[in-house]
Amino acid sequence: MHGEYKVPGGKLVVVDLEERDGRIDAFHLAGDFFLEPDSALDDIDRAVTGLPVEADVATIAAAVRAALPEGAQLLGFTPEAVGTAVRRALVTAPGWGDFDWEIVHDRPLSPRMNLALDEVLTAGVGEGRRRPTLRLWEWNESAVVIGSFQSLRNEVDPEGAARHGYDVVRRISGGGAMMMGANSIVTYSLSVPASLVQGLTFADSYAFLDDWALQALRALGVEATYQPLNDIASPQGKIGGAAQKRLANGGVLHHATLSYDMDGQVMTEVLRIGREKLSDKGTTSAAKRVDPLKRQTGLPRDAIIEQLKATFTSLYDAEVGHITDEEYAEAEALVASKFATDAWLRRVP
């Protein structure tokens, strides 16, 4: 059995193993990480060999940590990364390179259509009707997009939203409210098979699915890092956040919104940002929590999008694709029956 795990912001961890009488046998660790002393590699191999095949990530990591000699240095990976690679091997999880990827960057749409397409395309991937897809959003109006489980009245000031021209819509994934000003953000959606994240904890899958985007931002000179659970940040502040929804048919939707430009004063007038949320982030100002990419890079929004596409293409050999007429029609029907309805918007009053 073979398993791989790319540590977000770190190195590739590769494991090969066999199963014998319910236990891990003939285990070997490899990768492009750094490890001192050299003999620690054999210590890790011996520690994992013999563990039950049901051992979870924490159990495997504890065995590895206990076997390391005093003063051992692990650079670019952790004992938990070894455990994750083992779990992915045992469930035969495929890697990014095992799929044929498509990149979609089509015409501007309303926020509701973008949300509906997320559901339509992810359902198509889950059912095997569509290749795994990276889609870059374009939209033709400003909107506040609230999470599936957020209270509408607690999150949005309706008078402020109307005054500044922001529609209010609800997405199918959890997480917090996002201000999506026209031409002021960069949003992408990944529609992938559940098998891609097999063997990963729900929390680990966030960083795993966004690692390519961090590589793209670093290529632009942004010191991008992942802050659990779902924030993309730099030393200057938060850049954006991600959210997920896993469909019953095996499709996984992972989408992220990155701030390109923003007006902090408008944000405080449109969103009801509570003191508890601000104190949790260690700041007393909503505007100071976010550091937009326009300020960090000085580049046009289109240039940032092109770098995202170029990085994804180079990493995973993705091809340019398009949304079909049938998918557009399905999304339009879903807008009418769900995303444009008061019942959906106010499902949590």
Side-chain angles (χ1 to χ4, degrees):
M1 301 176 185
H2 180 86
E4 298 184 2
Y5 176 57
K6 170 65 169 59
V7 178
K11 298 297 185 178
L12 180 67
V13 176
V14 181
V15 300
D16 290 283
L17 57 92
E18 298 176 7
E19 179 183 345
R20 183 168 299 170
D21 298 327
R23 294 191 174 273
I24 297 171
D25 191 43
F27 177 82
H28 295 288
L29 172 67
D32 59 356
F33 50 77
F34 299 92
L35 176 63
E36 293 291 344
D38 284 355
S39 59
L41 185 64
D42 294 331
D43 294 329
I44 294 173
D45 287 352
R46 283 191 293 268
V48 177
T49 298
L51 290 176
V53 294
E54 298 85 4
D56 60 13
V57 171
T59 299
I60 298 167
V64 169
R65 193 168 278 111
L68 291 171
E70 184 177 355
Q73 298 291 313
L74 285 67
L75 302 177
F77 78 117
T78 63
E80 286 73 19
V82 177
T84 298
V86 172
R87 292 310 318 162
R88 286 175 62 77
L90 289 167
V91 299
T92 61
W96 292 86
D98 294 316
F99 297 100
D100 293 325
W101 292 92
E102 185 171 307
I103 295 181
V104 171
H105 187 200
D106 282 355
R107 60 184 172 86
L109 300 166
S110 71
R112 291 182 175 88
M113 271 293 287
N114 273 303
L115 294 173
L117 278 171
D118 269 357
E119 186 168 342
V120 167
L121 300 187
T122 304
V125 171
E127 294 167 6
R129 295 183 287 108
R130 162 169 278 277
R131 293 188 290 174
T133 300
L134 166 67
R135 182 172 70 91
L136 282 302
W137 290 30
E138 294 292 349
W139 62 102
N140 54 17
E141 61 187 86
S142 297
V144 176
V145 182
I146 61 175
S148 180
F149 311 109
Q150 288 190 296
S151 163
L152 176 62
R153 62 170 171 256
N154 289 344
E155 295 298 328
V156 182
D157 183 324
E159 293 181 358
R163 183 168 63 254
H164 292 288
Y166 278 80
D167 192 10
V168 183
V169 295
R170 186 185 293 275
R171 62 180 183 266
I172 63 173
S173 61
M178 301 298 296
M179 279 190 62
M180 302 179 64
N183 298 313
S184 294
I185 62 162
V186 175
T187 294
Y188 61 82
S189 298
L190 282 167
S191 297
V192 306
S195 58
L196 179 62
V197 293
Q198 276 187 312
L200 297 176
T201 65
F202 190 81
D204 285 344
S205 70
Y206 273 80
F208 177 75
L209 291 174
D210 278 333
D211 187 60
W212 67 273
L214 268 63
Q215 294 184 56
L217 292 176
R218 289 174 191 145
L220 295 172
V222 179
E223 297 179 50
T225 59
Y226 216 83
Q227 305 295 325
L229 169 69
N230 62 333
D231 284 353
I232 297 173
S234 77
Q236 286 71 43
K238 179 177 176 179
I239 297 171
Q244 279 186 24
K245 176 65 177 179
R246 304 193 176 202
L247 305 186
N249 71 359
V252 174
L253 168 65
H254 178 96
H255 45 198
T257 293
L258 311 178
S259 176
Y260 173 70
D261 196 9
M262 67 168 290
D263 185 323
Q265 183 60 40
V266 171
M267 183 170 72
T268 61
E269 294 177 12
V270 173
L271 299 182
R272 299 188 192 277
I273 303 176
R275 293 179 180 176
E276 183 175 349
K277 179 179 290 187
L278 292 177
S279 63
D280 178 59
K281 300 295 183 180
T283 180
T284 57
S285 168
K288 291 180 181 178
R289 288 179 55 206
V290 180
D291 195 45
L293 291 172
K294 182 178 181 180
R295 192 209 63 77
Q296 292 204 50
T297 66
L299 294 172
R301 176 177 171 273
D302 288 348
I304 293 171
I305 290 176
E306 289 306 312
Q307 182 63 59
L308 288 168
K309 291 159 62 175
T311 297
F312 194 89
T313 299
S314 66
L315 288 172
Y316 310 128
D317 197 27
E319 297 179 351
V320 175
H322 297 281
I323 299 166
T324 67
D325 291 342
E326 292 77 10
E327 289 168 332
Y328 275 123
E330 189 176 349
E332 288 171 354
L334 194 56
V335 167
S337 65
K338 180 176 181 177
F339 289 102
T341 66
D342 203 52
W344 172 250
L345 178 61
R346 300 181 185 279
R347 67 186 294 258
V348 183

